[in-house]
Amino acid sequence: MVVKNTLYLKNKKQMLMKRKIHLTRMLLVIVTILSMSSCVRDDLAAESQSQKNSKNMSAKFASRSFWKEDNVYINKVQQVFLKVANLEHVRTRYGELNWDYAMTFGNFNETYALVPIIKDNKVVLLMEAVRTGNKVFFYEKDNKDLVEFFNLAMYSNVTKYDEVIEAKAGVLSKTPAFVCTTRWLTIGCFENETDCVPYTTSVTNCEYQGGTGIPPKTFDPIGMDGGGDGNNGYEYPEIPEEIDPCRKIKSQRSNVDFYSKINVLESDTGLKKETGFTQRVNGQYVYHDNASATNTNNSLSLPDPNLPENKNIKGFLHTHVDSYTYYDDFQQVDVTRTGIKILSPADITYFMDLVKNAHDEGRPLNDVYAGMIATIQNYQIRFTGNQYQIKTFTDEEAAAFRAPYTIFMQKSIDNQSKLELGFLQFLSEKMNLKGITLYRMNADGTNTEISLNDDKKSTNETNCPN
């Protein structure tokens, strides 16, 4: 019995040892599998982050800027960039480009943009994209104030924002040397911040208009230390076609709908009150005849362009009525009301409001027009300047021009050529407006561009191509 028990205990001990070894092996296998699984998960996580970064760099942007930006330009610049860029090189050398927050700072002519570059959830640099002709150039923009402004716009609690665009003259010249856009941000507090004080900050971005200076540092999207073709620029797709006003007016006058509106207004010039049409961006015309007409004043009421529902008015036509005679009770004599047969300061004020609306909505500025229809002659004006020459007036400012304009033009009232000269002189010298071009719509269907000569004492006439 003793022998049997000893053998039994020995066998049992061996069995336990085998089980322990077996369990140890199983644990090792499990640990190995878990370790491999962890490595796989890490690899997948790394791959996922890499894919995410690539997506951030290359996905089509959806603007998240607080301001109106030239999204057409940003989209085209992104196309050019992705076509030539080595994204891994860009990521390693610079960081991640966040196209959603690209800003064009008031430019809507497909020429300028700033794209923020992110590292560790922070803007560290900006890429400046500048188009000249059919080429776009990429530059580094390492401006501390601009970089911080982008950081605030992207990562802060912004409660208010604003923008002002202005031209600044050079020291020795009245010609604009710097075109500057100032943007404001008011930064509020997040819910969990207890010691936060809201504040307002601003940044001004200026573009130098011509001249020489230190060239900006090229942004290299390829990884060739010279930017590849960066110094010579990259081909820009679909260069925006600048259709000159002469062609636009010619096309307009050949349109049956526009032609019929001119005919209506020409038949209205015999009335003792002004009438007119406004035209919306969609082409729709609306007739207006609500005029405050007296023997000494005649003013047509048009829709308020400052109201949201009227922001899409792109042009208007109106009459200046024929001369007529009335009996003046005070003087007890017959008086002839002649009127000035060319556009008035009130017409210009309304026109400039439409130009501003076009700029705010990113529409071509020279699409906006104002026409005056009179028995003696029809005229039209177009805005041929740039966005920095847009100037608007208050009702009080517009009213203050009325009497001086009448006095200034009275000496030329019987001479249409002198009226044209006086009109352009008043715009330039009294209203300080630039970039407005006058067109005479001739009875034979042709059009003539009229501009001031350099001496501002005479006009120059150029016949638009037929």
Side-chain angles (χ1 to χ4, degrees), residues 386-406:
N386 59 54
Q387 64 202 49
Y388 309 107
Q389 295 172 317
I390 298 174
K391 182 180 180 181
T392 57
F393 303 91
T394 64
D395 292 341
E396 292 76 16
E397 289 171 333
F401 288 124
R402 187 180 301 135
Y405 183 73
T406 301

Side-chain angles (χ1 to χ4, degrees), residues 59-289:
K60 184 176 181 180
F61 86 102
S63 182
R64 300 180 67 183
S65 171
F66 298 109
W67 297 274
K68 185 77 174 178
E69 310 293 354
D70 189 346
N71 291 340
V72 172
Y73 181 62
I74 296 170
N75 180 53
K76 289 183 180 180
V77 166
Q78 187 187 32
Q79 290 178 34
V80 173
F81 183 86
L82 293 177
K83 184 177 180 180
V84 301
N86 178 337
L87 296 186
E88 188 57 39
H89 157 74
V90 172
R91 185 179 299 110
T92 302
R93 179 168 176 176
Y94 300 106
E96 306 286 337
L97 273 69
N98 190 319
W99 294 95
D100 290 355
Y101 279 94
M103 298 185 190
T104 58
F105 277 88
N107 291 279
F108 289 94
N109 50 359
E110 296 187 38
T111 56
Y112 185 82
L114 286 174
V115 185
I117 301 170
I118 316 298
K119 269 191 177 180
D120 299 324
N121 295 320
K122 183 179 180 180
V123 181
V124 295
L125 184 68
L126 301 169
M127 184 184 79
E128 190 174 44
V130 181
R131 179 180 70 84
T132 302
N134 65 339
K135 295 290 185 70
V136 61
F137 300 82
F138 300 130
Y139 304 113
E140 292 184 25
K141 187 85 167 181
D142 190 9
N143 180 293
K144 182 178 67 174
D145 293 334
L146 276 168
V147 167
E148 179 58 21
F149 189 80
F150 272 86
N151 271 313
L152 292 173
M154 294 174 65
Y155 301 117
S156 300
N157 181 25
V158 177
T159 59
K160 189 177 180 181
Y161 52 91
D162 202 355
E163 177 183 51
V164 169
I165 300 170
E166 61 180 343
K168 295 185 178 181
V171 177
L172 301 176
S173 172
K174 293 183 178 180
T175 303
F178 290 91
V179 176
C180 300
T181 300
T182 301
R183 288 182 167 181
W184 281 270
L185 286 175
T186 298
I187 308 301
C189 303
F190 291 106
E191 291 182 4
N192 59 346
E193 292 181 295
T194 57
D195 59 347
C196 169
V197 178
Y199 66 97
T200 298
T201 185
S202 68
V203 69
T204 298
N205 188 45
C206 294
E207 296 176 61
Y208 186 63
Q209 302 297 295
T212 60
I214 300 173
K217 186 177 181 180
T218 299
F219 185 98
D220 175 19
I222 298 174
M224 296 179 64
D225 295 327
D229 292 329
N231 294 328
N232 299 318
Y234 300 95
E235 290 294 330
Y236 186 76
E238 300 176 13
I239 308 301
E241 183 183 10
E242 296 293 338
I243 301 177
D244 67 272
C246 272
R247 288 171 57 191
K248 290 189 176 186
I249 296 172
K250 179 182 178 181
S251 174
Q252 188 182 42
R253 294 188 69 185
S254 64
N255 180 276
V256 174
D257 203 10
F258 180 84
Y259 182 76
S260 68
K261 301 302 182 285
I262 295 292
N263 285 341
V264 169
L265 296 182
E266 286 180 340
S267 67
D268 283 352
T269 57
L271 302 176
K272 292 186 178 181
K273 67 174 183 178
E274 293 183 2
T275 61
F277 287 94
T278 52
Q279 186 184 20
R280 306 270 173 168
V281 173
N282 63 5
Q284 178 187 13
Y285 290 93
V286 178
Y287 182 71
H288 304 279
D289 60 358

